[in-house]
Amino acid sequence: MNDAVIIPPPPPEEAHRTLATRTADVDRQVLAAFDLAIAKRSAAGLALVAVGGYGRKELFPQADVDLLLLTSSEAATPARDALADFLQQLWDGGIRPSHSVHSVAECTIEHTGNAELTISLLDRRFLAGDQAVFQALADRFQPFLAKRGSAIAQQLAGLAEGRRAKFQNTIYHLEPNVKDAPGGLRDLQTTRWLTQIDPQQGLPSLEGALAFLAGVRIRLHELSGRDQNVLTFELQDALAEQPAALMREYYRYARVVDRAVRQAIEAATERPGTLLGRFHEWRARLSTSEFTVSREKVLLRAPQPPEDLSLYEFTARHQLRLAPDTVERLRGVTPKAGWMEWKRLLALPRPAAGLRAMQDSGALGAALPEWSNIECLVVRDFYHRYTVDEHTLVAIGALEQIADARFSELMGEIEDPALVRFALMLHDIAKGSGRDHSQAAVEVAHTVMDRMGAPETDRATVEFLIERHLDMSGVMSSRDLHDGATARVLAEKIGTIERLKLLTMLTYADITAVNPQAMTPWRLEQLWRVYLLAHDELTKELESERIHSAAGMPPERAEFLEGLPVRYLRTHTQAEIDIHYALSRQLESRAVAIEIHNERGFYRLTLLTKDRPALFASVAGAIASFGLNILKAEAFANSRGVVVDTFTFSDPHRTLDLNPTEVDRLRGVVRKVLEGKQEAERLLRSRPKPLLPSKARLKPRVAVKNDISEAATLVEIVAEDRPGLLYDLARVISEAGCNIEVVLIDTEAHKALDVFYLTHQGRKLDPPVEEQLKAGLLAACLAPH
């Protein structure tokens, strides 16, 4: 595909013609193959039927061809060799058949575990064979559908809800699947099926959405040469000179489909008499003199919509949605809301439902004109999954369902939660402006709050949160959490414990809303540690000194602690120190002592041994050779030269989880590497190569900073992640004669963020060493996989 050539989606008439032409071409091939392979060898009682998209004559260029061989009885089933010959001819002709063989009787009974069969028959079309058999199915299927339609519709709705949940029930993906994602072609067809089973009134027309989505999918198939349904950034560029405009059009049509399918699903699942239906009848008691509640949706009683935010407060307080009629009546209505009205909405326990109602009706952009800057805005990276406006609403919603008790309790300690929620509403409001979006967002927020009449104290807090909304995540990924300078700088920026709590919860929400996997157990732990670190620094002075003559310790324990950094005591519980001391006693009879244990979703390997050159690199290589991802590593040494190294890593392939004996093997490999019986480099070479991007997306960067830490030089590396990268970097550091004090690892998509605190001959690096090291690290980043 030539990136310079723009091939826009076809206009509606061309899209429909393309689908019809492909269907007709496939019809000819299928009929010819059926005639040669089956028709001449089979007796009466067999019909060939097109089902699914092929049945309704909407066959996309690279889509599977769904076929049903319909029999009157088992005796009419085609011979195995005849069927194989038929399918082989289709494969040879470039067609991917998906076939099934069923009798008329099988097609007219309910299949609880295979509702797809019944659903596919809604689009049946006779192709060849015994017409009487096909007619027999028609005669029996309609009465069956009339009798069991309600149950089938509920199964279909359940399948749709399960599929939509895999996409977080949102249409606003940066790279949407135009077939299966919410608002896509599958939802559109689900709406058709549900209305075919039970006709419904008031659904929006889907003809425009079908033409647009079909045109996009046609181009995806043509450009990729396969059944590719994800509208990637690369394909967006191929379809439009202005990809942002293309995506805004996509979201506009997807909204129509999404609204229609949700309405159809609700009708199928909320029938009177069902448990859900009775619950919704009970919820109708929430109706007031202004609003009627019917089937979890709000209708307006007054001729004129309210001019304030009361409707959205009502929606949020009771977790309801607006009825389609209400949405239409609200078009063009601009709510009049000052600062106190916004705070009243955002102070509710679960205000996200009210904000989504405002988004659906257009009131959010009307009441807050700056919102239009981010509506349906695609900002491309390989970490975020949603458009900017959807990310914002997901972030606000994340504060309503906090699973971790520590953060939930912290949220409860915040005196004015409306401030953190309003800051979230505006924290990305300037994305796409071409400027530093944090600073630009502060300026926007200042204008907005001035217009709303916000008091100075509230304005200062919100502007602070927006300006600093990336600070804590930055510390998590690129700073030593146990270096006193890190704590002091962070505390100086935050200022008060009250602001720290607000910023922590904003950071929690911001990371959680990036994508469903962003807030890993490791990041959750890291954020909590950053909070505790800043909290301690704001209440007392921290010192990063060495331990000497540990008070209150038995002599042998004090000897073990002698010379370790004071931060060792801060970062380890008494139980962990006891384990480390026990491991140190093992060194009396062996060269290396190793402990591996699993904690809160990640593993930690602790080893004690005498310090030696390339020790850290060797252990990093051994761990990476098992396909494990190192998240963090610490290296401490006491005055006797005993190293206390801790490696924290995840197990993405569940190698250790599913094979407990692999933990022992990992322990043995690390021991052999340290004893010189195995080479880490050889272990990495024998590791299977994972699937990596065809070309690097990132140009590596190496920054050397001498003003971050009081005792060491900070080296920060940003590069394309790959297996063994940490080992290669550590080896370069070792060969330069540098000692690793602390290493911090973080990975976002394919981007590695590696931070080393280094010393050379016991002090910070001199300029000649810095230059040599920087060149070596860049070379390691660019080394072939």
Side-chain angles (χ1 to χ4, degrees):
M1 183 177 64
N2 186 347
D3 292 339
V5 177
I6 304 297
I7 308 176
E13 61 277 6
E14 183 182 335
H16 292 307
R17 188 166 56 248
T18 298
L19 299 180
T21 300
R22 170 97 205 283
T23 301
D25 290 343
V26 171
D27 278 353
R28 284 190 289 272
Q29 290 180 263
V30 168
L31 292 174
F34 181 80
D35 184 56
L36 286 174
I38 295 180
K40 294 179 179 178
R41 305 189 220 179
S42 299
L46 174 66
L48 180 63
V49 181
V51 293
Y54 181 39
R56 58 181 179 268
K57 297 185 178 182
E58 293 176 357
L59 193 58
F60 287 85
Q62 299 294 331
D64 290 349
V65 174
D66 296 326
L67 295 167
L68 168 66
L69 287 105
L70 182 66
T71 65
S72 57
S73 64
E74 186 175 349
T77 302
R80 187 182 298 271
D81 60 339
L83 180 57
D85 186 21
F86 170 60
L87 297 175
Q88 188 61 53
Q89 288 188 51
L90 296 181
W91 280 106
D92 291 345
I95 293 173
R96 290 200 314 275
S98 176
H99 79 287
S100 62
V101 182
H102 292 285
S103 67
V104 172
E106 290 173 334
C107 291
T108 51
I109 58 175
E110 190 173 340
H111 298 270
T112 304
N114 186 20
E116 290 88 346
L117 171 61
T118 303
I119 295 166
S120 71
L121 294 173
L122 294 171
D123 296 315
R124 65 191 181 278
R125 178 169 61 91
F126 178 76
L127 290 174
D130 193 334
Q131 178 80 48
V133 176
F134 182 77
Q135 187 59 47
L137 173 62
D139 293 342
R140 295 179 59 174
F141 189 75
Q142 287 308 120
F144 162 71
L145 197 61
K147 181 179 180 181
R148 300 299 303 161
S150 176
I152 294 168
Q154 290 188 40
Q155 290 182 54
L156 174 56
L159 291 171
E161 288 176 325
R163 169 181 51 77
R164 286 166 58 86
K166 295 177 181 178
F167 296 90
Q168 297 76 52
N169 293 301
T170 179
I171 68 172
Y172 297 103
H173 290 264
L174 299 181
E175 297 180 293
N177 186 313
V178 300
K179 177 185 176 185
D180 290 329
L185 287 162
R186 182 70 72 185
D187 271 356
L188 189 150
Q189 187 53 41
T190 297
T191 306
R192 286 169 155 183
W193 284 327
L194 288 172
T195 53
Q196 186 175 343
I197 295 171
D198 183 15
Q200 299 177 35
Q201 302 296 321
L203 291 178
S205 171
L206 299 178
E207 288 306 311
L210 173 61
F212 177 81
L213 294 172
V216 170
R217 190 183 180 202
I218 287 169
R219 286 292 187 256
L220 297 186
H221 284 201
E222 291 173 345
L223 290 168
S224 62
R226 57 190 177 88
D227 190 6
Q228 155 73 341
N229 299 306
V230 177
L231 186 51
T232 63
F233 295 144
E234 184 180 14
L235 289 169
Q236 291 170 28
D237 290 338
L239 294 182
E241 292 183 4
Q242 299 293 332
L246 170 73
M247 295 310 297
R248 279 196 161 96
E249 189 174 13
Y250 168 83
Y251 298 126
R252 179 166 63 86
Y253 283 116
R255 271 198 295 259
V256 174
V257 175
D258 183 61
R259 191 178 303 124
V261 76
R262 282 193 281 117
Q263 190 173 337
I265 288 173
E266 288 168 0
T269 56
E270 300 174 9
R271 297 177 184 276
T274 64
L275 181 61
L276 185 60
R278 289 197 296 272
F279 172 72
H280 289 164
E281 288 171 7
W282 176 82
R283 291 267 282 174
R285 301 177 184 181
L286 296 172
S287 298
T288 68
S289 59
E290 293 181 282
F291 313 122
T292 296
V293 178
S294 175
R295 296 170 67 174
E296 293 296 280
K297 292 185 285 293
V298 182
L299 292 152
L300 300 176
R301 286 190 168 183
Q304 297 298 324
E307 295 184 352
D308 55 12
L309 299 182
S310 59
L311 169 62
Y312 306 105
E313 285 184 49
F314 181 81
T315 302
R317 182 173 289 108
H318 301 295
Q319 296 299 289
L320 301 168
R321 292 197 293 116
L322 301 181
D325 175 72
T326 304
V327 172
E328 290 305 315
R329 290 182 61 187
L330 290 170
R331 297 293 184 198
V333 176
T334 301
K336 297 176 182 177
W339 179 246
M340 295 312 298
E341 287 76 21
W342 277 103
K343 285 194 72 173
R344 192 163 53 242
L345 170 61
L346 294 174
L348 293 172
R350 302 175 69 186
L355 294 174
R356 287 200 175 275
M358 293 184 74
Q359 172 88 323
D360 289 344
S361 67
L364 189 51
L368 186 64
E370 292 80 3
W371 186 261
S372 62
N373 297 334
I374 61 170
E375 195 166 11
C376 298
L377 177 62
V378 172
V379 175
R380 298 181 176 187
D381 63 39
F382 295 92
Y383 191 45
H384 284 76
R385 179 170 295 184
Y386 311 118
T387 57
V388 178
D389 55 339
E390 179 67 8
H391 164 77
T392 300
L393 295 178
V394 171
I396 293 171
L399 295 179
E400 301 174 4
Q401 42 191 354
I402 304 170
D404 190 282
R406 298 166 300 178
F407 289 95
S408 180
E409 183 177 351
L410 186 61
M411 186 67 188
E413 294 175 5
I414 292 176
E415 182 178 351
D416 194 349
L419 295 180
V420 70
R421 289 174 175 139
F422 196 80
L424 280 169
M425 283 188 64
L426 299 181
H427 79 291
D428 281 344
I429 200 73
K431 275 199 169 179
S433 65
R435 300 172 54 199
D436 178 325
H437 83 277
S438 298
Q439 189 56 49
V442 170
E443 296 172 13
V444 174
H446 185 86
T447 300
V448 168
M449 290 186 288
D450 185 58
R451 184 174 69 236
M452 291 180 176
E456 182 57 37
T457 53
D458 286 354
R459 287 165 57 172
T461 300
V462 170
E463 289 174 15
F464 159 78
L465 291 172
I466 294 172
E467 182 179 13
R468 297 294 180 189
H469 79 269
L470 296 175
D471 281 8
M472 294 186 78
S473 57
V475 169
M476 287 165 56
S477 63
S478 61
R479 294 294 180 267
D480 176 12
L481 302 191
H482 312 302
D483 188 302
T486 298
R488 284 190 290 276
V489 169
L490 182 61
E492 184 179 344
K493 289 180 179 179
I494 294 174
T496 68
I497 291 176
E498 291 76 14
R499 282 188 169 185
L500 171 64
K501 293 178 180 180
L502 290 166
L503 187 60
T504 300
M505 295 315 303
L506 183 143
T507 305
Y508 171 91
D510 195 20
I511 295 175
T512 302
V514 165
N515 65 61
Q517 293 80 40
M519 185 57 87
T520 62
W522 169 249
R523 280 196 172 89
L524 195 69
E525 291 303 307
Q526 287 294 86
L527 178 57
W528 186 249
R529 290 176 64 196
V530 171
Y531 166 73
L532 292 179
L533 178 68
H535 186 277
D536 288 346
E537 186 63 29
L538 288 167
T539 54
K540 64 186 176 87
E541 184 70 21
L542 297 177
E543 296 181 0
S544 56
E545 299 177 350
R546 294 282 172 174
I547 301 170
H548 297 293
S549 303
M553 293 283 184
E556 64 275 8
R557 187 68 59 88
E559 184 180 5
F560 166 69
L561 293 173
E562 183 73 19
L564 287 171
V566 173
R567 68 186 181 197
Y568 174 84
L569 296 175
R570 297 204 312 266
T571 59
H572 294 87
T573 65
Q574 188 58 51
E576 290 172 334
I577 294 173
D578 290 343
I579 292 172
H580 294 174
Y581 173 69
L583 288 172
S584 73
R585 297 296 301 271
Q586 296 180 21
L587 298 181
E588 297 172 4
S589 59
R590 60 178 63 179
V592 182
I594 301 174
E595 168 86 6
I596 301 175
H597 65 280
N598 189 341
E599 55 179 69
R600 300 187 73 133
F602 51 86
Y603 285 84
R604 178 163 288 150
L605 181 151
T606 304
L607 68 90
L608 278 76
T609 188
K610 284 287 186 179
D611 200 5
R612 68 198 69 177
L615 185 150
F616 180 84
S618 299
V619 179
I623 294 173
S625 72
F626 277 68
L628 307 170
N629 291 339
I630 298 174
L631 302 170
K632 179 178 172 61
E634 295 179 341
F636 301 135
N638 65 15
S639 59
R640 293 188 300 153
V642 174
V643 170
V644 183
D645 280 6
T646 306
F647 290 82
T648 304
F649 53 87
S650 65
D651 183 12
H653 306 296
R654 302 191 65 197
T655 303
L656 307 185
D657 290 342
L658 300 177
N659 305 281
T661 57
E662 285 294 278
V663 176
D664 293 330
R665 192 168 78 86
L666 173 61
R667 186 183 291 109
V669 168
V670 172
R671 188 183 303 278
K672 288 179 180 178
V673 166
L674 291 177
E675 292 173 350
K677 297 177 181 178
Q678 282 187 297
E679 294 181 8
E681 188 172 2
R682 182 171 297 177
L683 289 170
L684 282 171
R685 282 203 302 264
S686 64
R687 176 186 173 188
K689 299 296 184 184
L691 181 64
L692 294 171
S694 57
K695 58 182 180 180
R697 299 187 178 112
L698 290 175
K699 181 180 179 181
R701 302 192 303 273
V702 177
V704 181
K705 303 176 182 179
N706 264 317
D707 58 347
I708 300 299
S709 171
E710 297 174 349
T713 297
L714 182 143
V715 178
E716 190 171 38
I717 302 163
V718 179
E720 189 84 10
D721 193 28
R722 61 173 173 82
L725 175 63
L726 179 58
Y727 164 74
D728 288 343
L729 297 174
R731 185 178 59 178
V732 169
I733 292 169
S734 177
E735 291 172 351
C738 298
N739 189 56
I740 298 173
E741 304 296 337
V742 175
V743 59
L744 306 174
I745 306 299
D746 195 50
T747 303
E748 298 179 358
H750 298 287
K751 181 167 65 175
L753 306 170
D754 295 353
V755 179
F756 295 89
Y757 284 74
L758 307 177
T759 57
H760 184 256
Q761 299 179 352
R763 58 180 185 272
K764 292 185 178 184
L765 276 58
D766 295 327
V769 178
E770 289 182 13
E771 293 179 12
Q772 174 192 347
L773 183 64
K774 185 172 183 178
L777 292 173
L778 282 171
C781 294
L782 294 170
H785 302 145

